[in-house]
Amino acid sequence: MILPLSILYAAGTLAVPKLSAQESAAFIMLAASILVFRTFRERFLLIWILGWLAYGLSLWFGVDSAAFTTSPELQAVSQAAFVLAVSLFAASILIYTHFREIHFHAAHDHRFDHDVLGRAGTVLADEVVARVPLEIAYRLLAIAAAVQLLRYRWGRFEIGPWLMACGFFFLHLDWAGVTGNVPTGVF
Amino acid sequence: MTDLFLGLGMLFMVFDDSRARTERLAVINKPDRPIARTQQLDP
Protein backbone atom coordinates (compact mmCIF):
# COMPACT_ATOMS: atom_id res chain seq x y z
CA MET A 1 0.00 0.00 0.00
CA ILE A 2 2.77 2.38 1.00
CA LEU A 3 4.97 1.51 -1.99
CA PRO A 4 2.33 2.25 -4.67
CA LEU A 5 1.43 5.48 -2.87
CA SER A 6 5.10 6.47 -2.78
CA ILE A 7 5.47 5.74 -6.50
CA LEU A 8 2.32 7.70 -7.33
CA TYR A 9 3.52 10.59 -5.16
CA ALA A 10 6.95 10.61 -6.81
CA ALA A 11 5.37 10.48 -10.27
CA GLY A 12 3.21 13.47 -9.35
CA THR A 13 -0.08 11.77 -10.16
CA LEU A 14 -1.44 12.09 -6.60
CA ALA A 15 -3.30 15.31 -5.87
CA VAL A 16 -1.22 15.93 -2.73
CA PRO A 17 0.85 19.08 -2.23
CA LYS A 18 4.56 18.51 -2.86
CA LEU A 19 6.97 19.04 -0.01
CA SER A 20 10.05 21.17 -0.50
CA ALA A 21 13.49 19.78 0.40
CA GLN A 22 13.53 21.66 3.71
CA GLU A 23 10.06 20.42 4.67
CA SER A 24 11.01 16.87 3.73
CA ALA A 25 14.14 17.12 5.90
CA ALA A 26 12.08 18.35 8.84
CA PHE A 27 9.55 15.53 8.52
CA ILE A 28 12.31 12.93 8.07
CA MET A 29 13.91 14.22 11.28
CA LEU A 30 10.52 13.98 12.97
CA ALA A 31 10.20 10.34 11.90
CA ALA A 32 13.76 9.57 13.02
CA SER A 33 13.10 11.20 16.41
CA ILE A 34 9.95 9.09 16.88
CA LEU A 35 11.92 5.94 16.10
CA VAL A 36 14.64 6.90 18.58
CA PHE A 37 12.00 7.73 21.20
CA ARG A 38 10.44 4.27 20.77
CA THR A 39 13.78 2.75 21.75
CA PHE A 40 15.11 5.06 24.46
CA ARG A 41 11.93 6.46 26.05
CA GLU A 42 13.57 9.67 27.29
CA ARG A 43 11.38 12.60 28.31
CA PHE A 44 13.45 15.17 26.46
CA LEU A 45 12.95 13.21 23.23
CA LEU A 46 9.20 13.65 23.53
CA ILE A 47 9.61 17.43 23.75
CA TRP A 48 12.11 17.21 20.90
CA ILE A 49 9.52 15.40 18.73
CA LEU A 50 6.93 18.09 19.45
CA GLY A 51 9.53 20.67 18.47
CA TRP A 52 10.10 18.98 15.11
CA LEU A 53 6.36 18.79 14.56
CA ALA A 54 6.02 22.53 15.18
CA TYR A 55 9.06 23.20 13.00
CA GLY A 56 7.65 21.10 10.17
CA LEU A 57 4.34 22.95 10.39
CA SER A 58 6.11 26.31 10.38
CA LEU A 59 7.88 25.34 7.14
CA TRP A 60 4.65 23.94 5.70
CA PHE A 61 2.83 27.24 6.23
CA GLY A 62 5.91 29.32 5.47
CA VAL A 63 6.75 31.72 2.70
CA ASP A 64 8.73 29.18 0.67
CA SER A 65 6.07 26.52 0.75
CA ALA A 66 4.98 25.41 -2.69
CA ALA A 67 1.75 24.05 -1.27
CA PHE A 68 0.02 27.31 -0.42
CA THR A 69 -0.13 30.88 -1.57
CA THR A 70 0.98 32.45 1.67
CA SER A 71 -1.31 35.07 3.11
CA PRO A 72 -0.31 37.31 6.06
CA GLU A 73 -2.39 35.08 8.33
CA LEU A 74 -0.54 31.96 7.22
CA GLN A 75 2.77 33.78 7.67
CA ALA A 76 1.73 34.62 11.24
CA VAL A 77 0.83 30.96 11.86
CA SER A 78 4.17 29.93 10.40
CA GLN A 79 6.08 32.37 12.62
CA ALA A 80 4.11 31.28 15.70
CA ALA A 81 4.90 27.63 14.95
CA PHE A 82 8.55 28.53 14.45
CA VAL A 83 8.80 30.30 17.81
CA LEU A 84 7.01 27.37 19.42
CA ALA A 85 9.50 25.00 17.78
CA VAL A 86 12.50 26.98 19.03
CA SER A 87 10.98 27.09 22.54
CA LEU A 88 10.38 23.32 22.51
CA PHE A 89 13.89 22.62 21.21
CA ALA A 90 15.35 24.81 23.97
CA ALA A 91 13.12 23.17 26.61
CA SER A 92 14.23 19.75 25.42
CA ILE A 93 17.89 20.72 25.75
CA LEU A 94 17.28 22.15 29.23
CA ILE A 95 15.58 18.93 30.33
CA TYR A 96 18.42 16.91 28.79
CA THR A 97 21.04 18.93 30.69
CA HIS A 98 19.05 18.79 33.99
CA PHE A 99 19.20 22.56 34.22
CA ARG A 100 16.21 23.28 36.46
CA GLU A 101 17.04 26.88 37.35
CA ILE A 102 16.48 28.20 33.88
CA HIS A 103 13.09 26.54 33.30
CA PHE A 104 11.25 29.51 34.69
CA HIS A 105 13.22 31.93 32.54
CA ALA A 106 12.67 29.79 29.46
CA ALA A 107 8.93 29.75 30.11
CA HIS A 108 9.05 33.49 30.66
CA ASP A 109 10.95 34.00 27.39
CA HIS A 110 8.42 31.76 25.69
CA ARG A 111 5.57 34.02 26.87
CA PHE A 112 7.63 37.02 25.84
CA ASP A 113 8.09 35.54 22.38
CA HIS A 114 4.39 35.00 21.99
CA ASP A 115 3.66 38.55 23.18
CA VAL A 116 6.10 39.88 20.63
CA LEU A 117 4.67 37.58 18.00
CA GLY A 118 1.14 38.63 18.78
CA ARG A 119 2.14 42.22 18.27
CA ALA A 120 3.91 41.30 15.05
CA GLY A 121 0.80 39.55 13.81
CA THR A 122 -1.47 42.43 14.64
CA VAL A 123 0.78 45.18 13.29
CA LEU A 124 2.24 43.66 10.14
CA ALA A 125 4.34 40.59 9.46
CA ASP A 126 7.19 42.53 7.84
CA GLU A 127 7.12 45.56 10.14
CA VAL A 128 10.67 46.23 11.33
CA VAL A 129 9.58 47.54 14.74
CA ALA A 130 7.73 44.30 15.48
CA ARG A 131 10.17 42.01 13.72
CA VAL A 132 13.44 43.03 15.43
CA PRO A 133 12.32 42.13 19.01
CA LEU A 134 10.95 38.84 17.69
CA GLU A 135 14.29 38.04 16.04
CA ILE A 136 16.18 38.95 19.22
CA ALA A 137 13.83 36.93 21.46
CA TYR A 138 13.95 33.63 19.62
CA ARG A 139 17.68 33.93 18.89
CA LEU A 140 18.32 34.50 22.60
CA LEU A 141 16.45 31.30 23.39
CA ALA A 142 18.33 29.32 20.75
CA ILE A 143 21.75 30.67 21.75
CA ALA A 144 21.05 30.07 25.47
CA ALA A 145 20.16 26.44 24.68
CA ALA A 146 23.30 26.00 22.57
CA VAL A 147 25.55 27.48 25.27
CA GLN A 148 23.94 25.34 27.98
CA LEU A 149 24.39 22.21 25.87
CA LEU A 150 28.06 22.96 25.19
CA ARG A 151 28.66 23.67 28.90
CA TYR A 152 27.01 20.38 29.85
CA ARG A 153 29.04 18.29 27.41
CA TRP A 154 32.25 20.33 27.63
CA GLY A 155 34.44 17.58 29.13
CA ARG A 156 33.75 15.08 26.36
CA PHE A 157 34.80 15.74 22.78
CA GLU A 158 31.86 14.54 20.70
CA ILE A 159 30.52 15.85 17.43
CA GLY A 160 26.82 15.75 18.41
CA PRO A 161 26.69 18.78 20.75
CA TRP A 162 28.76 20.87 18.34
CA LEU A 163 26.46 20.02 15.43
CA MET A 164 23.45 20.94 17.55
CA ALA A 165 25.05 24.19 18.69
CA CYS A 166 25.73 25.10 15.03
CA GLY A 167 22.11 24.28 14.23
CA PHE A 168 20.86 26.49 17.05
CA PHE A 169 23.10 29.39 16.01
CA PHE A 170 21.87 29.29 12.41
CA LEU A 171 18.18 28.66 13.17
CA HIS A 172 16.23 31.61 11.79
CA LEU A 173 13.03 32.82 10.23
CA ASP A 174 13.05 33.94 6.63
CA TRP A 175 13.06 37.70 6.42
CA ALA A 176 12.84 39.24 2.97
CA GLY A 177 15.70 41.66 2.40
CA VAL A 178 17.82 40.35 5.27
CA THR A 179 18.09 36.60 4.81
CA GLY A 180 17.07 36.72 1.16
CA ASN A 181 20.69 36.82 -0.03
CA VAL A 182 21.39 33.33 1.29
CA PRO A 183 19.74 30.62 -0.83
CA THR A 184 17.02 28.63 0.91
CA GLY A 185 18.26 25.31 2.20
CA VAL A 186 21.81 26.51 2.90
CA PHE A 187 20.99 28.07 6.29
CA MET B 1 21.50 22.38 6.60
CA THR B 2 20.32 23.77 9.94
CA ASP B 3 17.66 21.05 10.17
CA LEU B 4 20.21 18.36 9.47
CA PHE B 5 22.65 19.77 12.05
CA LEU B 6 19.95 19.82 14.72
CA GLY B 7 18.50 16.41 13.93
CA LEU B 8 21.77 14.56 13.45
CA GLY B 9 23.29 16.27 16.50
CA MET B 10 20.52 14.97 18.75
CA LEU B 11 20.75 11.48 17.25
CA PHE B 12 24.52 11.40 17.77
CA MET B 13 24.11 12.57 21.37
CA VAL B 14 21.47 9.96 22.20
CA PHE B 15 23.52 7.15 20.64
CA ASP B 16 26.70 8.34 22.38
CA ASP B 17 24.86 8.34 25.72
CA SER B 18 23.53 4.86 25.04
CA ARG B 19 27.02 3.58 24.20
CA ALA B 20 28.45 5.18 27.34
CA ARG B 21 25.70 3.55 29.43
CA THR B 22 26.45 0.16 27.88
CA GLU B 23 30.16 0.56 28.58
CA ARG B 24 29.44 1.50 32.20
CA LEU B 25 27.23 -1.57 32.59
CA ALA B 26 29.96 -3.75 31.09
CA VAL B 27 32.47 -2.36 33.60
CA ILE B 28 30.07 -3.08 36.48
CA ASN B 29 29.34 -6.60 35.20
CA LYS B 30 33.00 -7.51 34.79
CA PRO B 31 33.79 -8.22 38.48
CA ASP B 32 30.29 -9.64 39.03
CA ARG B 33 30.76 -12.52 36.61
CA PRO B 34 33.65 -14.35 38.40
CA ILE B 35 31.92 -13.79 41.74
CA ALA B 36 28.71 -15.36 40.46
CA ARG B 37 30.67 -18.28 38.93
CA THR B 38 32.49 -18.88 42.21
CA GLN B 39 29.24 -18.88 44.14
CA GLN B 40 27.74 -21.40 41.71
CA LEU B 41 30.62 -23.81 42.40
CA ASP B 42 30.08 -23.66 46.17
CA PRO B 43 28.20 -26.66 47.66
Side-chain angles (χ1 to χ4, degrees):
Chain A
M1 182 69 187
I2 293 172
L3 186 65
L5 280 177
S6 305
I7 293 168
L8 286 174
Y9 178 73
T13 48
L14 271 186
V16 178
K18 290 266 184 192
L19 295 174
S20 71
Q22 217 180 350
E23 289 160 7
S24 301
F27 286 119
I28 287 169
M29 286 302 164
L30 173 66
S33 304
I34 290 171
L35 280 178
V36 172
F37 176 72
R38 271 194 71 204
T39 308
F40 294 101
R41 298 276 169 188
E42 299 277 3
R43 195 158 56 110
F44 68 89
L45 282 176
L46 196 60
I47 312 286
W48 187 252
I49 287 169
L50 293 177
W52 276 112
L53 191 62
Y55 188 70
L57 288 178
S58 84
L59 292 174
W60 179 266
F61 290 118
V63 179
D64 292 321
S65 173
F68 294 100
T69 310
T70 45
S71 63
E73 290 81 13
L74 277 180
Q75 282 182 40
V77 169
S78 165
Q79 290 179 355
F82 180 83
V83 173
L84 182 66
V86 173
S87 307
L88 287 169
F89 285 152
S92 170
I93 293 301
L94 295 181
I95 291 170
Y96 173 74
T97 56
H98 308 289
F99 201 79
R100 294 177 189 281
E101 293 165 32
I102 211 164
H103 281 187
F104 169 74
H105 302 295
H108 181 76
D109 283 351
H110 182 80
R111 279 201 301 275
F112 173 69
D113 278 354
H114 280 279
D115 287 349
V116 170
L117 187 69
R119 258 179 267 145
T122 50
V123 179
L124 198 64
D126 291 331
E127 187 75 36
V128 176
V129 179
R131 187 65 190 260
V132 170
L134 171 70
E135 292 282 334
I136 292 171
Y138 81 74
R139 276 174 204 271
L140 265 179
L141 261 182
I143 289 171
V147 169
Q148 174 59 20
L149 179 65
L150 289 180
R151 276 185 61 204
Y152 183 70
R153 303 282 291 219
W154 187 251
R156 291 166 278 182
F157 185 75
E158 290 161 351
I159 198 167
W162 290 98
L163 276 179
M164 282 196 67
C166 281
F168 272 119
F169 278 117
F170 291 117
L171 205 57
H172 69 276
L173 276 170
D174 286 329
W175 190 0
V178 178
T179 60
N181 297 326
V182 184
T184 313
V186 176
F187 284 116
Chain B
M1 285 290 277
T2 310
D3 315 343
L4 290 181
F5 282 176
L6 274 176
L8 290 179
M10 179 55 96
L11 291 184
F12 283 152
M13 276 188 352
V14 171
F15 290 136
D16 282 344
D17 283 349
S18 168
R19 196 187 56 195
R21 204 174 299 142
T22 310
E23 283 171 2
R24 274 200 298 273
L25 277 174
V27 169
I28 292 169
N29 276 338
K30 211 171 186 179
D32 276 358
R33 247 175 265 153
I35 293 169
R37 211 172 297 143
T38 313
Q39 281 173 348
Q40 277 175 359
L41 291 174
D42 284 348

